[in-house]
Amino acid sequence: MTLPLLCDLSRDELANWCQAQGEQPYRADQIRKWIFGKRVSDFEAMTDLPAGLRTKLAEQFTVFSSRVAAHQRSSDGTQKLLIELADGENVECVLMREDDRRTICISTQVGCGMGCMFCASGLLGLSRNLSAGEIVEQILRLDRLLPALERITNIVVMGMGEPLANLSSLLKALTTLDEKGGLGLSARRITISTVGLPEKIRELARAGKPYNLAVSLHAPNDALRSELVPVNRNIGIEAILAAADEFFEQTGRRVTYEYVVLAERNDSLKEARELAALLRGRNAHINLIPMNAVCELPFHDPAAERLRAFIEVVEQAGVTTTVRKRKGADIDAACGQLRLRHAGAPQLVPIQAMS
Ligand code: SAH
């Protein structure tokens, strides 16, 4: 049987545990420094701890309960890990490098229950939520791929799963990073992407931290959005925008709207005008995402010309737009693809690396 994950404990909980062992609470920060700062996972090697405490740690906890089931390296420097959890489930996480940024993309659930039509993660449905420790474990594993003096600079919660459907574990995991002994990664460097769950967006705002919020809009009207993002039927765009506006008012953080551009599905000039009308006047930013092709899913990138025309309409209306750079296209880049392949679904491998 696997021992409990040490990183399922918050800093306070670990300090309490130390006290329960008859130790000073500051020992918690020493332990955390070894794990996060010095990348050590063997309790015996934590030489500034009393021997008795090291033994108790080793008897009661483990730093990693997972194993790396696959490790892919892209020609652009992107690395992707398929992590097998203690119960045999798999999740994916990614390290991307650009200039002086080292951004990681992490998962919050095994699979996903949202069922977006173009997404590989949802194809097998939702298995379960990850614990806070399992979320931290991905971060530690990716951090340890970096050279000694390099650190993770940014986190995007855009891997498998719907982060706001597992908000308490996610917040516990992210909070621990910025506490003493952690990785020193503040909320401003973290972006949480959601399908758009209004009550959960409000709950995130109430956490009182300047996280960046990204809302996966993908369509400018409810009829189309409900086709592409089926959970929209019970939510509706207006309710999502209202919650996102409140998020901005409370946190002062400009909201990003993600829009996967799908040829002939949501990329007409009519949709561009509708999208601009929806977001004009809001403190918003649009991030257009090139479709990561997933075989068997009938969606494709639009032609460059058509995408340019779409962007022009939106920008002329005064809404700033960026196009997400494609990363790791040669290594099952879209979240969920590697896991699908591993699960024995060869018909669902990515079609190609697109330019
Ligand atoms: N559940 C969250 C996180 C999902 S992943 C959410 O819905 O936002 C982050 C982004 O990648 C989302 O905008 C998602 O819609 C998008 N995405 C999913 N599959 C994709 C694909 N095949 N190509 C491009 N983007 C995709």
Side-chain angles (χ1 to χ4, degrees), residues 18-310:
C18 289
Q19 277 187 305
Q21 317 306 310
E23 295 288 342
Q24 294 293 320
Y26 75 84
R27 296 290 185 195
D29 294 332
Q30 285 182 305
I31 298 166
R32 287 164 50 81
K33 226 186 218 163
W34 280 108
I35 295 172
F36 289 102
K38 299 180 194 163
R39 297 174 174 158
V40 165
S41 29
D42 173 11
F43 296 116
E44 239 353 272
M46 301 182 181
T47 47
D48 55 1
L49 300 178
L53 184 62
R54 280 186 258 162
T55 307
K56 282 179 192 159
L57 281 165
E59 282 167 0
Q60 296 186 42
F61 295 107
T62 175
V63 175
F64 290 114
S65 66
S66 65
R67 76 178 185 93
V68 176
H71 182 175
Q72 297 185 328
R73 289 178 183 80
S74 162
S75 50
D76 67 13
T78 302
Q79 298 189 51
K80 183 164 197 166
L81 299 179
L82 181 72
I83 291 184
E84 187 184 318
L85 303 165
D87 63 357
E89 295 279 16
N90 292 294
V91 289
E92 298 175 17
C93 54
V94 184
L95 166 69
M96 294 161 283
R97 318 184 57 144
E98 195 172 22
D99 306 327
D100 53 354
R101 277 189 179 211
R102 288 163 296 275
T103 303
I104 62 165
C105 176
I106 55 170
S107 297
T108 51
Q109 298 182 310
V110 179
C112 186
M114 299 299 120
C116 301
M117 302 303 284
F118 45 82
C119 178
S121 292
L123 285 171
L124 301 177
L126 172 69
S127 293
R128 66 173 176 86
N129 279 338
L130 297 185
S131 73
E134 287 173 326
I135 296 171
V136 173
E137 209 170 333
Q138 297 170 59
I139 299 167
L140 291 176
R141 290 230 181 253
L142 292 167
D143 182 60
R144 288 163 194 219
L145 298 178
L146 291 167
L149 294 176
E150 288 188 14
R151 291 281 156 202
I152 293 166
T153 59
N154 298 76
I155 297 182
V156 294
V157 188
M158 296 187 181
M160 289 166 48
E162 168 48 44
L164 298 193
N166 188 16
L167 186 56
S168 57
S169 294
L170 174 64
L171 287 180
K172 189 173 185 185
L174 297 180
T175 304
T176 206
L177 301 179
D178 202 28
E179 290 182 319
K180 196 168 178 200
L183 281 184
L185 262 166
S186 74
R188 284 174 193 281
R189 294 172 169 273
I190 298 172
T191 300
I192 300 173
S193 177
T194 178
V195 74
L197 307 177
E199 272 319 306
K200 291 288 174 181
I201 290 174
R202 294 192 175 91
E203 199 178 321
L204 178 64
R206 283 197 297 275
K209 298 250 184 84
Y211 291 112
N212 302 297
L213 177 70
V215 173
S216 294
L217 196 58
H218 306 324
N221 61 67
D222 279 325
L224 181 57
R225 188 166 196 269
S226 296
E227 271 177 42
L228 299 174
V229 181
V231 293
N232 188 62
R233 280 180 219 136
N234 304 319
I235 304 173
I237 292 175
E238 268 315 310
I240 298 171
L241 294 182
D245 288 347
E246 281 176 40
F247 181 90
F248 170 70
E249 279 157 28
Q250 285 186 30
T251 62
R253 306 296 281 167
R254 184 180 67 168
V255 176
T256 295
Y257 290 89
E258 295 160 282
Y259 196 101
V260 178
V261 194
L262 307 166
E264 313 289 331
R265 296 299 291 266
N266 66 357
D267 68 338
S268 72
L269 296 186
K270 171 185 164 286
E271 276 131 13
R273 282 191 288 270
E274 263 185 279
L275 182 63
L278 204 59
L279 299 181
R280 191 171 30 218
R282 291 192 144 89
N283 214 308
H285 170 94
I286 298 175
N287 194 5
L288 298 173
I289 313 178
M291 169 74 190
N292 266 309
V294 180
C295 224
E296 300 288 307
L297 290 183
F299 298 100
H300 303 281
D301 250 5
E305 201 40 52
R306 201 167 156 97
L307 180 63
R308 244 193 310 277
F310 188 97

